[in-house]
Amino acid sequence: MATATGPSPAVGPSFHTFISDARRDRRLVVQPRMGFSDTGAMTAGLRATRAARATTVGTITVDSYTRTGELGAVERALRDGVALNGYPLASIDPGVTRTMLGEVGHPSFPVQVRHGSAAPTKIFEALLEAGLDATEGGPVSYCLPYSRRPLHLAVAEWAHCCRRLAARREDGANPHLESFGGCMLGQLCPPGLLIAITVLEALFFRQHGIRSVSVSFAQQTNHRQDLEGVQALRALCAELLTDVDWHVVVYAYMGVYPRTPRGAREILRAAARLAHGGGAARLIVKTTAEAHRIPTIGENVEALELAAAAAADVTPQAVPDSGIRDEARQLIHAVLSMDADVGRALVSAFARGYLDVPYCIHPDNHAATTTSMDADGWLRWADVGSLPLTPDAVSSPPLLTSAGLLRALSHVQRSYDGA
Amino acid sequence: MNVYETGGTRPTALLAGPPSDAHTWNLLYLQLLMTELGWQVSNLGPCTPVRLLVAESARCAPDLVVISTVNGHGYHEGLTLIRSLRREAHLRDTPIVVGGKLGIDGPDDGSRLKRLRDAGYDDVFDGDGQVPRFQVLLDSLRHHARRQASPAPAVR
């Protein structure tokens, strides 16, 4: 498609340059989740993101029909005037997307495409054709929780997409790819496994030619554990990603969100403190509308500004080492030792249960691991399955009843709404 | 196939997220809840293709099909889905319900829910606080299934 025959997109400042400039000035970059099927609304959303009183990166979230390759359903929805839950990037004329990007000041204002697809070729082609070169996901993180595709097929397609994206380097660009691996199922996963998966995905991206990556970490249920997790992630990146540009992105809590505006703001402030205090460069925010519906542009801007202000007061914090870094390192090396090819190593690791995401229903996941949560929200392994780890000596009972699961899933909502 | 199946006695239920919905926790919660209430649940997981749902329901003849969705496409995708399911002879009379967060802008005035019912859902559970009503439905279906399963009384 366009990379071979179309006009070469203008090369501007890269995603990485923008992030490292902000980092040098100790500014946390904040970013919304945002996608509208209407181009006018999408343009307004990007503009408002840029204009927010914060250092921001724009987001185009793709709708979930496009994510699953149901382009026929996109056509029907657009024809019937049904609003989608995101921007149908692969169905909109790339010229329209380019015009929109020009109007909002891309590439000086970086824009990342967010999609959630285990089979993302069409989305990668569409974003390249529209002149974009920053996106996210990964062969594991967008396959296991989000699709039924066999893992080895997702690995093969993601390898192809990485190479397509990396080819933009020939035009002088520095395309960026973020691993979503630190957010597997969003909650109830001990941080060691999240860190291992996101670092392994970053190594997979590097193997396929990407030189600018980010690794992710989802805020969960205990602030100290999260802070230690972010710092452990940074330490392991410094060890293992020595020849690529990297940064850490933190995700504001992805589970059952506080329903009160006060609770929602407070957990977002905690996420900003986690990101900035832990040394992450970027934060994906959530809004006060999260528990109720997809947020408006205004609610997103409010969240961006609130998070930026909360981060400004934070200084780096050291926390005691409970062993998260060692656990993650053990998992990473166990997987890497299985095969020199990172993709094949990932497939073998899941087949043997060396990686096993708790509560994930995908056929290629063993689902032999379970977790438990202490009263203060600290997450532990209740059963390590075949993970190459020794189980926690002290463990609370596993979450095996609907009431227990609901209690754990609503831990954050309860603590913040009641606070 | 490697689905999360949980043991128990009849009645049986198929549980699934619609094709475009990647969310899992809603399905895990419902699976545990229904299992505790005496159902045998086959959880097909998120992003279940229509053809898999059709094939699995032909294989296990469930007493109930539960579609759970929270990605905001539930209303639009739910209509397409129920029309496909009701076209299948073996699903014409099976109770099928849908629930979760069905629109991108929160619960509506009820007209969309009526359209979902008219299209073939036996019940629709939109928004928070619907679990007690869902439990009532499960209870009544369980009694119904039990009556059907018990041997017919002798008439002579």
Side-chain angles (χ1 to χ4, degrees):
Chain A
M1 280 177 78
T3 44
T5 56
S8 198
V11 172
S14 70
F15 196 86
H16 171 75
T17 309
F18 185 88
I19 300 285
S20 49
D21 285 353
R23 243 186 107 60
R24 194 174 340 103
D25 303 342
R26 295 199 38 76
R27 283 177 284 124
L28 179 68
V29 175
V30 289
Q31 182 180 352
R33 296 151 179 269
M34 191 188 273
F36 304 98
S37 44
D38 176 70
T39 313
M42 192 71 250
T43 310
L46 289 167
R47 228 185 233 134
T49 302
R50 182 174 195 176
R53 282 162 298 181
T55 306
T56 55
V57 162
T59 297
I60 296 179
T61 300
V62 168
D63 74 283
S64 47
Y65 288 141
T66 302
R67 180 176 74 70
T68 49
E70 303 273 341
L71 297 184
V74 175
E75 297 302 331
R76 281 194 298 281
L78 293 179
R79 193 187 56 218
D80 301 347
V82 174
L84 296 170
N85 62 2
Y87 186 74
L89 180 68
S91 305
I92 286 182
D93 180 344
V96 170
T97 304
R98 274 174 188 266
T99 304
M100 171 175 80
L101 290 168
E103 282 172 15
V104 301
H106 179 268
S108 302
F109 171 56
V111 175
Q112 185 192 39
V113 173
R114 311 187 53 83
H115 59 88
S117 177
T121 300
K122 285 211 168 74
I123 294 168
F124 272 66
E125 281 173 353
L127 73 89
L128 287 167
E129 197 162 3
L132 289 158
D133 62 15
T135 184
E136 46 87 63
V140 172
S141 57
Y142 274 177
C143 178
L144 285 193
Y146 288 169
S147 85
R148 326 178 60 86
R149 259 201 135 196
L151 182 60
H152 73 273
L153 293 181
V155 164
E157 184 155 345
W158 269 91
H160 164 77
C161 289
C162 285
R163 291 192 295 266
R164 286 293 300 268
L165 184 63
R168 285 281 280 115
R169 291 174 54 79
E170 290 160 21
D171 308 324
N174 189 16
H176 181 84
L177 194 50
E178 169 199 323
S179 157
F180 192 68
C183 308
M184 304 295 292
L185 285 184
Q187 43 192 326
L188 302 188
C189 185
L193 179 64
L194 297 177
I195 294 168
I197 293 176
T198 195
V199 170
L200 286 162
E201 283 192 331
L203 290 168
F204 174 88
F205 299 161
R206 178 179 71 170
Q207 184 189 332
H208 296 288
I210 305 290
R211 290 292 173 268
S212 169
V213 300
S214 43
V215 289
S216 55
F217 191 90
Q219 175 188 26
Q220 294 197 84
T221 36
N222 181 293
H223 190 74
R224 264 185 315 120
Q225 186 178 34
D226 289 343
L227 203 52
E228 182 188 339
V230 173
Q231 290 173 354
L233 177 55
R234 286 179 50 224
L236 289 168
C237 287
E239 280 175 37
L240 294 162
L241 296 171
T242 47
D243 53 354
V244 295
D245 301 324
W246 61 267
H247 70 269
V248 173
V249 54
V250 165
Y251 281 72
Y253 187 62
M254 293 167 68
V256 179
Y257 219 68
R259 301 188 57 83
T260 63
R262 192 181 67 155
R265 287 191 190 105
E266 198 42 53
I267 190 167
L268 178 59
R269 282 192 197 99
R273 288 195 294 273
L274 167 65
H276 211 45
R282 186 160 56 99
L283 172 71
I284 309 283
V285 304
K286 283 226 170 183
T287 70
T288 52
E290 225 59 52
H292 312 284
R293 55 180 160 70
I294 290 184
T296 62
I297 294 171
E299 286 158 346
N300 263 306
V301 169
E302 188 206 321
L304 292 166
E305 295 182 344
L306 183 79
D313 309 331
V314 181
T315 46
Q317 285 171 274
V319 284
D321 178 6
S322 77
I324 295 173
R325 187 180 51 196
D326 287 347
E327 180 172 306
R329 192 192 280 121
Q330 223 168 312
L331 291 169
I332 292 167
H333 289 297
V335 174
L336 291 177
S337 70
M338 298 181 91
D339 202 302
D341 177 89
V342 183
R344 279 203 301 269
L346 285 167
V347 173
S348 306
F350 277 98
R352 251 208 251 174
Y354 275 28
L355 294 175
D356 184 351
V357 180
Y359 312 108
C360 171
I361 302 173
H362 191 284
D364 287 338
N365 190 55
H366 272 208
T369 57
T370 53
T371 57
S372 64
M373 186 191 283
D374 294 352
D376 63 357
W378 192 282
L379 294 166
R380 300 180 187 282
W381 294 110
D383 189 336
V384 293
S386 306
L387 295 179
L389 299 176
T390 31
D392 261 341
V394 188
S395 190
S396 324
L399 311 163
L400 294 176
T401 64
S402 64
L405 183 69
L406 202 57
R407 239 192 331 274
L409 291 175
S410 58
H411 177 91
V412 157
Q413 187 180 68
R414 229 173 24 250
S415 337
Y416 281 86
D417 278 348
Chain B
M1 72 175 302
N2 177 16
V3 294
Y4 254 48
E5 302 208 32
T6 44
T9 50
R10 294 179 79 58
T12 59
L14 270 188
L15 174 62
S20 89
D21 193 332
H23 292 85
T24 295
W25 293 109
N26 48 322
L27 299 173
L28 285 173
Y29 169 72
L30 289 174
Q31 180 187 357
L32 288 172
L33 179 76
M34 294 172 74
T35 306
E36 288 158 13
L37 294 172
W39 288 71
Q40 185 176 323
V41 183
S42 176
N43 184 353
L44 298 178
C47 295
T48 300
V50 178
R51 63 180 182 284
L52 177 67
L53 194 50
V54 168
E56 282 296 300
S57 53
R59 189 179 66 84
C60 67
D63 298 299
L64 172 66
V65 175
V66 179
I67 308 296
S68 175
T69 173
V70 294
N71 74 349
H73 278 188
Y75 168 65
H76 183 246
E77 193 168 29
L79 280 176
T80 318
L81 183 59
I82 192 65
R83 287 173 188 144
S84 308
L85 296 179
R86 290 300 187 202
R87 271 199 292 273
E88 303 291 330
H90 68 277
L91 281 171
R92 207 157 286 156
D93 301 317
T94 308
I96 305 178
V97 299
V98 63
K101 294 180 181 177
L102 299 181
I104 59 174
D105 41 12
D108 82 331
D109 56 5
S111 64
R112 293 193 305 200
L113 306 193
K114 182 177 179 311
R115 280 196 68 194
L116 285 166
R117 277 198 201 88
D118 291 348
Y121 286 107
D122 293 272
D123 212 334
V124 182
F125 302 87
D126 190 19
D128 289 327
Q130 300 279 326
V131 169
R133 204 165 66 76
F134 180 58
Q135 284 176 310
V136 170
L137 173 89
L138 290 176
D139 272 345
S140 74
L141 284 173
R142 194 179 51 186
H143 291 309
H144 180 70
R146 195 176 289 151
R147 269 202 309 280
Q148 285 194 327
S150 56
V155 283
R156 261 166 293 159

